[in-house]
């Protein structure tokens, strides 16, 4: 049976997973409507893909291995690894939004690897879809990224992934995804490889199983791999060690299938090599050449993970000690490739690819019963050729024309430089390049500046010379000066002075941040004060309390808005913001 290996790539939300799910349904690999490639709980809740995942489908006489990749920029390094191990990509582009930063990033990587993409202009059912213009923009992007003639001659398929429809011409009627599947069969060359040669396989992704331990997903380039086989794992540097394959799987729909052997061209999952890592070559004898290394992106931000020491510590968590947190983080390192952790010292320093990357880890931990607190994320500075450098991002912003001026000014203050501006139908698309440091904490303000009508997306483009001091307008914190239950009466008074993070009846402690202040200065308040009782009824009826809905702090919001003198407390039940020094006296002393 012939094999085709492809990855589906795109900007976040352009419809990769929906399209993959539709392919699974059409080919009968999945019959249950509720089954999706986004199988992880957090993925389902958030409607985004976090982990790249493999699936296989059978179409006519061909097996197609598909990797559904995440579109969010924080998980971009997942995509890069995958691209090394497949033969072609399906580049999905939203027919309304057109190419976005991550479209550019994943296409650039694909073109550099010499892949010949198939372009899917997706969501053509959207009322504001403009497939012709988007197709033109995609072509320009190919040109801009230095595509060669063969790559420029890309096939185009129009699709409504959500309805499982694809067509080769806009005017075609379209019934199912057959045109896309046929295009894949025709344009992607069969996965080749000498089956009788000695085995060579390369791991491009990691997994973990409670019984089997660390697992690796990889592609067999040559030879045959057998369950139970003794193999050699070789680092790109040539270092080797021996191990035994204790379990061998291929993919089958959303499941993995136990097999006795797999051959060159296929993508498999293996267990048995406890310390296998991305890029290592699994082979048969010492003399075989390892496959070229797979590059892994470096972290861009860091923050401290600490044992929770707030007055409410230990109330809600099951695992709260340094040792428990350490063990959990060590387990995470098994599979979370972009993550680094420095375990020296009392606080663990965690390095990640962005706020979402860290937020997902914290969210997973709290759901498993962990409780901890973290410090404000900071960008990582490096020294390159004697010069201080920091991570930079490319930012694409879509806003109504009326907000464009404000955004350009705000981004300018954050040391971002506008590299492009396009206006169409009252909407502006602004492109900037600026330091990650300036962008940290900007998203919340951006929503306000654009009255919720703006879209911002960004991706790291590398380390560049330090951009200099950045002055950010810091919102002040409304800090509780007492402990107890927050009362509606006092919250109703406090809400005029800023916006609140808590609702009535929430328990607070001294030093807990319960809101922000519009004045920009910290303010100690008492949210537990009740109404003075008096014998006399006030004239008129008691006015009903008019409470504006509060802004609940999530892990992501917390990481974004927290100050350098604060901690974010994360427990299975709550996310609280607090001052590191709980009393006003201590804070004043340490501020000096
Ligand atoms: N109108 C329309 N919406 C679609 C179509 N396909 C997907 N969507 C919607 O687009 C949203 C994102 O779809 P996903 O398939 O999760 O997108 P994705 O590219 O996998 O997203 P990430 O993996 O997070 O990057 C969902 O709300 C889908 O219902 C389509 O053909 N038309
Ligand atoms: Mg997805």
């Amino acid at each position: 049976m012939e094999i085709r290996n492809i990855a589906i790539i795109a900007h976040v939300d352009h419809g990769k997973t929906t399209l993959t799910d539709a392919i699974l349904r059409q080919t009968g690999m999945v019959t249950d409507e509720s089954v999706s490639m986004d199988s992880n709980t957090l993925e389902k809740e958030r409607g985004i893909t976090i982990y790249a995942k493999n699936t296989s489908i059978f179409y006519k006489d061909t097996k197609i291995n598909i990797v559904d990749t995440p579109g969010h920029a924080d998980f971009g390094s997942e995509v890069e690894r995958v691209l090394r191990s497949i033969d072609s990509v399906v580049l999905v582009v939203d027919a309304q939004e057109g190419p976005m930063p991550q479209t550019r990033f994943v296409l650039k990587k694909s073109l550099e690897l010499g892949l010949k993409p198939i372009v899917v202009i997706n969501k053509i059912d959207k009322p504001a879809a403009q497939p012709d213009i988007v197709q033109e923009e995609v072509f320009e992007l190919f040109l801009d990224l230095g595509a060669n003639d063969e790559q420029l001659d890309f096939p185009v398929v129009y699709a409504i992934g959500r309805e499982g429809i694809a067509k080769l011409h806009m005017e075609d009627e379209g019934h199912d995804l057959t045109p896309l599947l046929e295009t894949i069969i025709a344009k992607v060359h069969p996965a080749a490889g000498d089956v009788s040669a000695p085995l060579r396989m390369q791991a491009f992704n990691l997994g973990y199983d409670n019984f089997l331990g660390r697992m690796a997903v990889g592609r067999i380039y040559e030879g045959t791999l057998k369950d139970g086989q003794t193999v050699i794992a070789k680092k790109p540097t040539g270092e080797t060690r021996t191990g035994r394959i204790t379990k061998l799987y291929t993919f089958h729909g959303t499941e993995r299938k136990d097999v006795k052997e797999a051959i060159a061209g296929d993508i498999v999952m293996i267990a048995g090599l406890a310390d296998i890592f991305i890029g290592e070559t699994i082979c048969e004898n010492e003399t075989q050449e390892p496959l070229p290394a797979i590059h892994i992106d470096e972290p861009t931000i860091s923050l401290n993970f600490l044992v929770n020491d707030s007055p409410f510590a230990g109330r809600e968590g099951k695992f709260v000690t340094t040792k428990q947190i350490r063990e959990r983080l060590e387990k995470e390192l098994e599979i979370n490739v972009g993550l680094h952790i420095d375990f020296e010292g009392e606080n663990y320093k965690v390095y990640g690819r962005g706020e979402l990357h860290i937020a997902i880890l914290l969210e997973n931990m709290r759901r498993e019963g962990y409780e901890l607190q973290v410090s404000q994320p900071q960008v990582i500075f490096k020294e390159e050729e004697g010069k201080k450098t920091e991570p930079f991002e490319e930012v694409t912003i879509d806003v109504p024309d009326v907000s464009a001026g404000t955004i350009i000014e705000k981004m300018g203050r954050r040391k971002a430089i506008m590299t492009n501006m396009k206006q169409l139908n009252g909407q502006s698309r602004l492109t900037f390049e600026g330091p990650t440091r300036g962008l940290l904490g900007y998203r919340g303000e951006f929503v306000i500046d654009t009255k919720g009508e703006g879209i911002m997306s960004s991706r790291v483009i590398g380390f560049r010379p330090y951009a200099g001091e950045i002055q950010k307008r810091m919102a002040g914190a409304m800090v509780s000066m007492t402990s107890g239950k927050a009362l509606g009466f006092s919250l109703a008074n406090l809400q005029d002075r800023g916006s609140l993070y808590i609702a009535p009846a929430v328990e607070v402690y001294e030093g807990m941040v319960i809101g922000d202040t519009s004045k920009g200065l910290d303010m100690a308040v008492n949210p537990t004060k009740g109404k003075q009782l008096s014998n006399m009824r006030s004239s008129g009826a008691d006015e009903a309390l008019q409470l504006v809905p509060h802004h609940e702090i999530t892990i992501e919001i917390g990481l974004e808005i927290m100050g350098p003198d604060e901690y974010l407390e994360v427990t299975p039940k709550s996310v609280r913001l607090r001052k590191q020094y709980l009393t006003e006296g201590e804070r004043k002393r340490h501020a000096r």
Side-chain angles (χ1 to χ4, degrees):
M1 184 181 293
E2 279 192 351
I3 299 174
R4 302 285 194 282
N5 292 323
I6 61 165
I8 304 205
I9 59 172
H11 185 75
V12 66
D13 253 9
H14 281 194
K16 298 172 288 297
T17 305
T18 310
L19 187 64
T20 313
D21 288 345
I23 295 176
L24 285 167
R25 294 218 157 75
Q26 177 169 334
T27 52
M29 302 305 293
V30 162
T31 44
D32 184 344
E33 271 301 313
S34 66
V35 171
S36 166
M37 289 295 287
D38 281 346
S39 50
N40 173 276
T41 322
L42 283 186
E43 293 182 324
K44 280 190 204 148
E45 273 174 28
R46 291 164 179 250
I48 58 165
T49 303
I50 298 169
Y51 310 102
K53 280 182 237 59
N54 283 78
T55 180
S56 299
I57 58 130
F58 296 89
Y59 177 69
K60 293 186 176 164
D61 290 331
T62 309
K63 174 178 185 175
I64 308 178
N65 285 315
I66 304 175
V67 192
D68 178 28
T69 63
H72 197 286
D74 277 22
F75 311 121
S77 54
E78 291 245 346
V79 186
E80 214 179 327
R81 280 183 269 135
V82 168
L83 293 180
R84 270 285 306 279
S85 310
I86 42 83
D87 298 316
S88 185
V89 289
V90 171
L91 176 72
V92 177
V93 186
D94 182 304
Q96 182 187 334
E97 284 185 10
M100 294 292 281
Q102 199 64 5
T103 316
R104 188 184 176 93
F105 172 75
V106 291
L107 178 60
K108 179 164 178 276
K109 296 285 171 193
S110 305
L111 295 175
E112 283 168 3
L113 288 164
L115 302 174
K116 286 189 284 169
I118 294 168
V119 172
V120 170
I121 309 275
N122 194 28
K123 307 198 189 183
I124 53 170
D125 58 310
K126 275 187 167 181
Q130 36 187 8
D132 294 345
I133 294 177
V134 166
Q135 188 173 333
E136 193 53 41
E137 286 173 353
V138 172
F139 185 79
E140 275 165 31
L141 185 60
F142 269 73
L143 269 183
D144 199 27
L145 294 173
N148 62 32
D149 288 349
E150 261 189 300
Q151 290 170 325
L152 273 177
D153 194 23
F154 54 83
V156 178
V157 180
Y158 305 93
I160 309 174
R162 203 161 57 185
E163 290 167 24
I165 288 174
K167 45 195 188 179
L168 298 179
H169 310 279
M170 274 304 282
E171 59 278 11
D172 292 353
E173 212 181 305
H175 305 286
D176 58 16
L177 292 171
T178 304
L180 175 60
L181 292 166
E182 287 294 337
T183 307
I184 292 170
I185 301 290
K187 299 288 180 180
V188 183
H189 63 77
D194 185 352
V195 178
S196 54
L199 166 75
R200 276 210 301 178
M201 165 194 158
Q202 187 173 37
F204 66 85
N205 216 349
L206 298 179
Y208 191 84
D209 181 291
N210 281 335
F211 298 103
L212 299 168
R214 192 190 289 193
M215 324 225 354
V217 179
R219 171 166 179 173
I220 305 176
Y221 286 89
E222 283 161 340
T224 307
L225 178 61
K226 294 192 179 70
D227 188 15
Q229 185 174 350
T230 300
V231 293
I232 287 170
K234 209 166 197 176
K235 289 193 190 300
T237 51
E239 239 175 283
T240 60
R241 60 199 186 285
T242 313
R244 201 173 73 88
I245 305 293
T246 54
K247 206 82 179 164
L248 175 63
Y249 298 103
T250 54
F251 294 91
H252 190 92
T254 51
E255 315 272 303
R256 52 189 200 214
K257 197 170 108 189
D258 233 315
V259 291
K260 288 281 152 253
E261 66 168 51
I263 58 164
D266 215 349
I267 291 177
V268 296
M269 192 168 192
I270 56 167
L273 306 171
D275 48 2
I276 179 90
F277 200 70
I278 308 281
E280 289 187 329
T281 304
I282 316 266
C283 52
E284 277 174 34
N285 55 59
E286 296 274 352
T287 55
Q288 281 174 277
E289 274 291 304
L291 291 151
I294 294 181
H295 168 78
I296 291 164
D297 282 338
E298 289 170 84
T300 54
I301 61 164
S302 75
L303 75 177
N304 289 323
F305 278 38
L306 310 82
V307 164
N308 190 12
D309 67 355
S310 94
F312 292 174
R315 282 197 191 180
E316 296 165 342
K318 243 192 332 191
F319 309 113
V320 299
T321 65
T322 330
K323 183 162 172 279
Q324 287 166 330
I325 294 170
R326 179 180 182 135
E327 281 170 6
R328 176 61 182 78
L329 290 176
E330 280 171 346
K331 191 175 141 202
E332 185 71 22
L333 285 175
E334 293 272 344
I335 50 161
N336 202 328
V337 178
L339 201 73
H340 292 211
I341 301 175
D342 182 355
F343 287 111
E344 298 297 313
E346 237 171 275
N347 306 334
Y348 301 146
K349 195 156 193 188
V350 176
Y351 300 81
R353 288 288 299 165
E355 282 172 320
L356 185 61
H357 184 203
I358 300 293
I360 296 289
L361 168 60
L362 287 169
E363 192 65 57
N364 277 325
M365 286 179 73
R366 76 188 279 224
R367 277 158 199 251
E368 294 162 24
Y370 288 85
E371 168 173 335
L372 71 163
Q373 59 188 5
V374 301
S375 66
Q376 187 191 39
Q378 305 285 343
V379 304
I380 293 170
F381 294 110
K382 289 207 298 192
E383 236 348 86
E384 282 171 34
E385 291 164 9
K387 283 212 187 80
K388 186 173 173 183
T389 60
E390 61 177 324
F392 267 64
E393 297 185 29
E394 181 192 84
V395 190
T396 301
I397 291 177
D398 283 312
V399 285
D401 289 343
V402 288
S403 315
T406 315
I407 300 301
I408 293 171
E409 192 211 317
K410 292 265 174 100
M411 290 294 284
R413 256 190 259 158
R414 288 164 180 267
K415 294 274 180 349
I417 291 167
M418 189 157 78
T419 54
N420 201 353
M421 175 169 183
K422 270 191 213 159
Q423 287 180 307
L424 188 71
N425 305 332
Q427 282 284 115
S428 302
R429 170 166 296 185
L430 317 170
T431 316
F432 298 87
E433 287 182 5
T436 302
R437 188 164 46 100
L439 296 168
L440 285 179
Y442 181 53
R443 273 166 213 274
E445 211 177 309
F446 175 79
V447 173
I448 299 167
D449 289 343
T450 60
K451 302 193 175 60
E453 292 192 45
I455 302 173
M456 169 157 83
S457 62
S458 65
R459 62 175 190 88
V460 176
I461 46 181
F463 281 76
R464 293 190 182 172
Y466 178 65
E469 191 82 17
I470 296 176
Q471 288 294 341
K472 290 187 199 170
R473 190 192 69 96
M474 290 285 291
M478 211 184 268
V479 190
S480 177
M481 55 175 152
T482 50
S483 301
K485 212 169 239 170
L487 293 178
F489 174 76
S490 41
L491 294 184
N493 288 326
L494 291 174
Q495 69 186 5
D496 298 334
R497 311 174 67 179
S499 64
L500 297 173
Y501 305 153
I502 59 165
V506 165
E507 276 217 66
V508 300
Y509 54 79
E510 178 172 15
M512 182 168 149
V513 178
I514 61 155
D516 61 32
T517 64
S518 28
K519 286 270 161 57
L521 287 175
D522 282 4
M523 182 167 83
V525 299
N526 182 359
T528 64
K529 209 163 45 186
K531 189 171 182 178
Q532 289 294 330
L533 294 177
S534 72
N535 298 333
M536 267 204 289
R537 281 184 65 101
S538 50
S539 61
D542 266 352
E543 317 142 48
L545 290 174
Q546 291 284 332
L547 273 180
V548 191
H550 68 284
H551 299 273
E552 192 84 36
I553 296 194
T554 60
I555 292 176
E556 270 153 284
I557 293 177
L559 288 177
E560 183 173 323
I561 63 174
M562 70 190 292
D565 62 338
E566 294 168 358
Y567 286 136
L568 186 69
E569 193 186 343
V570 179
T571 84
K573 294 209 184 95
S574 324
V575 178
R576 304 184 192 98
L577 207 53
R578 58 164 282 200
K579 287 290 171 188
Q580 293 182 0
Y581 297 108
L582 295 176
T583 66
E584 215 183 348
E586 267 184 303
R587 286 200 291 281
K588 289 224 169 90
R589 203 155 354 106
H590 284 277
R592 257 190 257 125

